[in-house]
């Protein structure tokens, strides 16, 4: 009997090792394919512009972008250090993200719990969501000036609607049996929201964060386009006005790095907050 148990344990351990090895092999293939894709795109871009098949005056050139980034690091931009521009945009995006997430979660959870208020406010929310964001950006710039407040406000609005709709739907999707059982056990509405509704809707809310930070960056950049004293949006606008595509692509590269860094941090937060949730087959295979 002992030998049978030991044999089964050894078999299970071997199977688990095979699964981990297959997962590592899959990750290596994925990263190799990503790197190959990047090399092909950049290499083709460089070759086409060097051969003058694609006009570098309009589309820039990878070597020109590297040169522009190096120039910004060494000599700064027309508005000061490139690090100051990055910090300004990042600060605006993070503040807008935080305000938008908090407001979106609170309003989404409350309206998801109180059906009457949700029905009353439904048309107003839809109208507000339909307003073009650039119009709101112009309004915020006029009302709040060229400082950080206008950019944070625009970023927060963009984030709010993304998080709100997910939080609202997440609350509506909570298992009614759990709610009924909590009420039967005498839980108050506050306790139900805290211990049942929010944990159940957390998957929806966390999923919205992956999109929300990108929207926060968009809000900050658009706000800087409309009027600013510093920031990556102002750097892009200046490069555009000077017919400098390398500057536009250089700033876009910096924005991409910020977005990917934020995405990695949000993914880490997701794993921490949802550690109680059983893994899906796709997540187990990727681990």
């Amino acid at each position: 009997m002992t030998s049978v148990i030991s044999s089964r344990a050894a078999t299970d351990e071997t199977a688990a090792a095979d699964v981990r090895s297959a997962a590592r092999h899959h990750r290596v293939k994925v990263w190799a394919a990503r790197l190959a894709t990047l090399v092909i795109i950049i290499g083709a871009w460089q070759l086409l512009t060097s051969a003058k098949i694609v006009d570098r005056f309009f589309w820039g050139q990878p070597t020109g972008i590297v040169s522009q980034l190096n120039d910004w690091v060494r000599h700064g931009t027309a508005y000061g250090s490139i690090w100051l521009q990055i910090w300004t945009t990042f600060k605006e995006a993070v503040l807008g993200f935080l305000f938008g997430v908090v407001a979106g979660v609170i309003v989404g959870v409350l309206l998801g719990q109180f059906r009457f208020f949700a029905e009353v406010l439904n048309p107003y929310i839809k109208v507000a969501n339909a307003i073009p964001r650039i119009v709101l950006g112009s309004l915020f710039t006029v009302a709040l000036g060229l400082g950080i407040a206008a950019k944070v406000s625009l970023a927060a609005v963009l984030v709010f609607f993304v998080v709100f709709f997910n939080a609202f739907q997440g609350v509506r999707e909570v298992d009614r049996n759990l709610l009924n059982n909590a009420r039967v056990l005498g839980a108050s509405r506050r306790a139900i929201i805290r211990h049942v509704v929010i944990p159940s809707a957390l998957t929806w809310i966390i999923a919205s964060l992956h999109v929300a930070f990108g929207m926060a960056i968009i809000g900050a950049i658009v706000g800087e386009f409309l009027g600013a004293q510093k920031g990556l949006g102002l750097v892009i606008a200046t490069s555009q006005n000077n017919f400098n595509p390398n500057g536009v692509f250089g700033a876009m590269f910096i924005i991409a790095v910020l977005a990917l860094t934020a995405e990695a941090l949000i993914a880490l937060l997701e794993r921490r907050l949802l550690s109680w949730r059983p893994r899906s087959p796709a997540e187990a295979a990727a681990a």
Side-chain angles (χ1 to χ4, degrees):
M1 185 67 178
T2 304
S3 61
V4 172
I5 295 176
S6 300
S7 177
R8 286 182 178 177
T11 301
D12 291 342
E13 185 176 347
T14 302
D18 290 340
V19 170
R20 288 193 296 269
S21 177
R24 284 194 298 270
H25 182 64
H26 176 73
R27 285 197 297 270
V28 169
K29 288 201 305 184
V30 168
W31 279 103
R34 288 173 176 173
L35 181 60
T37 301
L38 181 63
V39 169
I40 290 172
I41 292 174
I42 294 178
W45 186 0
Q46 182 68 34
L47 289 173
L48 290 173
T49 50
S50 297
K52 298 185 179 179
I53 298 175
V54 174
D55 194 338
R56 78 180 78 177
F57 179 80
F58 297 108
W59 298 103
Q61 193 174 38
T63 53
I65 296 171
V66 173
S67 177
Q68 179 67 81
L69 290 171
N70 180 60
D71 181 65
W72 281 343
V73 170
R74 295 178 61 187
H75 305 110
T77 69
Y79 310 100
S81 165
I82 185 62
W83 307 111
L84 175 61
Q85 315 311 314
I86 294 172
W87 169 245
T88 298
T89 300
F90 182 72
K91 179 171 63 175
E92 293 165 352
V94 169
L95 289 175
F97 175 77
L98 294 176
F99 289 140
V101 168
V102 171
V105 170
I106 291 175
V107 177
V109 170
L110 290 179
L111 293 189
Q113 283 286 290
F114 299 97
R115 186 180 184 88
F116 175 77
F117 293 109
E119 292 177 350
V120 170
L121 296 177
N122 179 57
Y124 300 103
I125 292 174
K126 290 182 177 179
V127 169
N129 186 45
I131 297 174
R133 302 301 185 255
I134 194 167
V135 174
L136 289 176
S138 299
L139 178 62
F140 290 146
T141 300
V142 171
L144 302 175
L146 300 180
I148 189 175
K151 287 73 175 175
V152 171
S153 299
L154 182 57
V157 169
L158 268 66
V159 171
F160 169 81
F161 285 106
V162 173
V163 177
F164 164 75
F165 286 118
N166 277 270
F168 179 79
Q169 189 61 33
V171 171
R172 289 298 181 92
E173 294 292 332
V174 174
D175 190 341
R176 296 301 166 188
N177 291 327
L178 291 176
L179 296 176
N180 293 333
N181 290 337
R183 293 191 184 101
V184 169
L185 293 173
S188 64
R189 179 178 289 274
R190 178 180 298 179
I192 290 174
I193 291 176
R194 179 181 177 184
H195 298 291
V196 179
V197 173
I198 293 181
S200 298
L202 198 58
T203 301
W204 289 76
I205 295 170
I206 294 295
S208 71
L209 300 185
H210 293 280
V211 178
F213 192 81
M215 300 302 291
I217 292 179
I218 291 173
I221 295 295
V222 170
E224 291 167 355
F225 252 95
L226 295 172
Q229 297 172 325
K230 51 184 176 291
L232 291 175
L234 183 59
V235 172
I236 293 175
T238 302
S239 298
Q240 170 191 305
N241 294 335
N242 292 332
F243 295 95
N244 178 17
N246 291 324
V248 175
F249 281 114
M252 287 171 60
F253 171 78
I254 296 172
I255 293 169
V257 171
L258 292 178
L260 290 175
T261 302
E263 171 65 23
L265 294 175
I266 291 172
L268 179 62
L269 174 67
E270 180 178 18
R271 287 194 294 271
R272 293 289 297 274
L273 292 179
L274 300 181
S275 59
W276 53 269
R277 185 190 63 175
R279 287 184 177 183
S280 66
E283 291 172 333

